[in-house]
Amino acid sequence: MALVDIQVPDIGDFDEVAVIELLVKPGDTVKAEQSLLTVESDKASMEIPSSHAGVVKELKVKLGDKVKQGSVIVVLEVAASSNPPPLGEGRVGAATLAPAPTAPTAPPPQPAPSGSGAHAGSTVEVRVPDIGDFKDVAVIELLVKPGDAIKLEQSLFTVESDKASMEIPSSVAGVLTALKIKVGDKVNIGDLVALVEVASALAPAPAPVLAAVAAPVAAASPAAAPAPASASTAAMPAAPAHQPGAPSPGLPHASPSVRKFARELGVPLAELQGSGPKGRITQDDVQNFTRAVMAGAVQTQAQAVNAPKAPAASGGDGAGLGLIPWPKVDFAKFGPIERREMSRIKKISGANLLRNAVLIPAVTNHDDADITGLEAFRVATNHDNEKSGVKVTMLAFLIKACVAALKKFPEFNSSLDGDALIYKSYWHIGFAADTPNGLMVPVIKDADKKGILQISQEMGELAKKAREGKLIPAEMSGATFTISSLGGIGGRYFTPIINAPEVAILGVGKSTMAPVWNGKEFEPRLMLPLSLTWDHRVIDGAAAARFNAYLGHILGDFRRVLL
Ligand code: CAO
């Protein structure tokens, strides 16, 4: 047995970095290359691996300490046979004994991108810079979209390996004209990722910044790291808007290994409140969340992590679900089978739908709205607007009608926060879109300020992006109420699941002609089936019935929206 000082290896261009997470404790047995702690600079976080296998005898650092290359972080007791022999004494420095697996030397300065030095107005190709030893790293989040004005060094997208994540910055300033990657793509050094129309006469080479940001061990700014629930591929959950380059308190802050752990458990990181420094989400937080969900004790992560035992309107410490295990069946015994992995979106939305279905005491009210007049108006509007290329569907009218109803019944536009309600003075309406990869919920922002034609146009654009997998988090975030319309497909009533933290959702079926009694006789009227699901902790049955009746009233004569 020998004692080995494990030191911080070469971590590229970083000088002093803060220890933000300890991943081992004295007495732990660690494998060579196992991560010991996480350090963080303002742009990146990275896990520092052990160069030896052994048992942790002593931790030489604590949270908040600053370390740099050569700092001793852990004293490890190693078996002499399984590790390189000690140099002289029984205790050696280990920084150079084995290269840290995730820490190759800092990359050379990034070569100027093709076209850097181009004149204003010309298009420059932005490529993946030297990202060290990483190969085939997955794109997990797009941070910009075509049309965006990009600053030099602004983060364009996030990539992630199993040990680290990093934001890839733009090597030029200008306007992004095309993104050549999508979430889920695997990229390597030199791959074309974007086209940027340069803004300045000469686009400077970004070498120093790239060296720092793309230091091979570095993870992206954790504040920008997406959570399963809020990544650009997230479905039902609303993702917080991303401010590239600027840490935002609203975004999940976690190391790559914690994010991986959360992904494996299907935990939506965006809903956790980290207990670590600067709100960083730790492995314990993820475990606590899972336990709280299993016990039926959470509605929001804040309650699960910080006060899991304090009953609140939005949570309460349930007695546990006490469910029997999921049936395990060897289907092959009964006939031929094929196993196919579910899409990432399905996995993410599944976890969120399950939570929302289990934790929200939801009730659905079914109703019909007479849209005979409105449908005639819609058809006439489309006829008048034939040349504009914008098609108006019933959904656009429903969005506008719902805004009017939400204004009249503000608790439908609220969210639970512990024992309080947050009333929002903005009306952002999400709409469920069916895509080849699964359900997505783009959001029409400020629907109260937009007309039917503008809403129709935006809906068309967002639905197209959803189907092409091009939605960015900001386009799926911030909804205050959601509409799920199956009217274009068929069927009448259903029970949509509330998209937490919203408190209600409207399901819309296919309209049909039906005989309606007008007091004297049956009249053929076009009736639209509505299914309103609401959270009974926030909304009472009478309010829900009034909401539906008011909605029907408006759809019956849309001029009432103006009143
Ligand atoms: N009743 C009768 N017809 C309707 C209707 C309704 N309620 N709603 C739409 N239609 C008609 C439209 O007028 C259109 O008719 P034409 O082709 O003759 O013009 C046709 O159905 C198709 O409409 P659409 O689906 O293209 O447009 P939309 O605005 O109604 O919906 C979108 C857009 C993106 C919401 C839709 O395409 C979609 O993805 N729907 C599925 C949503 C979903 O999966 N919900 C379930 C979530 S829970 O798993």
Side-chain angles (χ1 to χ4, degrees), residues 260-430:
K260 183 162 179 258
F261 182 57
R263 253 201 319 273
E264 281 164 5
L265 293 177
V267 168
L269 273 190
E271 297 183 17
L272 271 73
Q273 201 170 63
S275 62
K278 291 194 242 162
R280 168 170 275 271
I281 297 166
T282 65
Q283 189 149 327
D284 279 352
D285 293 332
V286 176
Q287 277 167 339
N288 286 345
F289 176 87
T290 313
R291 282 189 205 110
V293 169
M294 300 291 281
V298 280
Q299 163 61 16
T300 67
Q301 182 57 27
Q303 287 128 26
V305 171
N306 298 330
K309 294 216 169 69
S314 55
D317 65 348
L321 296 176
L323 301 175
I324 56 170
W326 193 257
K328 267 221 163 282
V329 177
D330 179 7
F331 299 103
K333 277 199 316 205
F334 304 106
I337 59 165
E338 182 191 355
R339 186 186 160 87
R340 284 192 207 162
E341 274 299 303
M342 289 208 293
S343 73
R344 187 171 143 84
I345 290 174
K346 277 228 148 119
K347 286 187 216 168
I348 293 165
S349 61
N352 281 276
L353 289 165
L354 175 63
R355 180 203 53 202
N356 299 345
V358 168
L359 293 183
I360 301 176
V363 184
T364 306
N365 283 28
H366 301 292
D367 215 334
D368 292 302
D370 184 338
I371 56 163
T372 315
L374 187 56
E375 175 63 6
F377 177 64
R378 186 188 75 84
V379 171
T381 306
N382 277 337
H383 184 72
D384 294 347
N385 276 302
E386 220 162 356
K387 289 201 185 98
S388 75
V390 178
K391 184 175 141 190
V392 176
T393 63
M394 194 47 68
L395 190 49
F397 288 102
L398 280 160
I399 288 176
K400 208 68 193 160
C402 282
V403 168
L406 292 169
K407 284 191 170 179
K408 190 166 175 70
F409 302 97
E411 67 267 38
F412 285 78
N413 203 50
S414 75
S415 282
L416 267 169
D417 184 24
D419 286 325
L421 277 184
I422 309 289
Y423 288 87
K424 293 155 219 160
S425 300
Y426 54 89
W427 292 268
H428 299 342
I429 310 298

Side-chain angles (χ1 to χ4, degrees), residues 14 43-44 153 155 165-169 208-216 218-220:
F14 296 102
K43 273 273 176 187
E153 297 168 18
S155 300
S165 64
M166 68 192 86
E167 287 176 11
I168 302 297
V209 173
L210 282 174
V213 175

